[in-house]
Amino acid sequence: STFRWPGLLAAPVLVVVGVRPRTYVERYAEPDKSATGLGDTEAMWPVPYWWVDAGAAIENLLLGVVEAGLGACLFGLFDHERAVAEAFDIPEDWRLAATIAIGHRRADEPGRSAGRGRRPLDEVVRRNTWT
């Protein structure tokens, strides 16, 4: 009753995005990738690309939803990750990155952080050098 966007709970589609880190380790243990050393354990990955790939998939899905004239909202699972995984019988070796609610758009209702404004472009874009 206190949820700010109750229409979100009625979204006809919820996409739960999951990754299985072990799949990356297994792939990089194969002969054509084994020289990388990434096929031993997840800890060998300086950047866990399963999260990078999940982010790219999420962004592509969000762009496709908008292109189709629909609305979407990305939200994190945070401390509900395991409960959601169990509800859908997702194996324990999978991790859930986020959920995307998809449906017909309603009028925008900005969240609390919308009033913060954007950082100046010269604070977030670098050209030829970091400074």
Side-chain angles (χ1 to χ4, degrees):
S1 65
T2 61
F3 186 59
R4 187 170 178 176
W5 298 280
L8 192 60
L9 301 176
V13 176
L14 293 175
V15 177
V16 178
V17 179
V19 296
R20 183 177 175 263
R22 188 78 199 144
T23 299
Y24 287 73
V25 174
E26 290 166 353
R27 171 64 181 105
Y28 277 77
E30 293 178 16
D32 64 322
K33 301 273 189 190
S34 63
T36 65
L38 299 174
D40 296 333
T41 68
E42 293 171 28
M44 299 302 294
W45 288 73
V47 174
Y49 267 79
W50 42 94
W51 296 121
V52 175
D53 289 347
I58 289 167
E59 185 64 24
N60 279 310
L61 180 57
L62 292 170
L63 290 169
V65 166
V66 171
E67 182 66 23
L70 297 170
C73 179
L74 169 72
F75 53 94
L77 296 157
F78 303 107
D79 52 347
H80 300 291
E81 178 187 1
R82 199 69 245 145
V84 171
E86 288 172 4
F88 290 102
D89 294 323
I90 297 170
E92 288 189 20
D93 62 340
W94 282 74
R95 294 291 315 276
L96 305 182
T99 298
I100 303 166
I102 302 173
H104 294 283
R105 282 192 67 165
R106 294 205 174 150
D108 286 340
E109 183 181 332
R112 289 182 292 270
S113 63
R116 295 178 63 203
R118 294 182 181 260
R119 292 171 52 195
L121 196 58
D122 63 347
E123 285 185 20
V124 295
V125 175
R126 307 286 189 261
R127 292 185 176 92
N128 300 322
T129 181
W130 189 258
T131 57

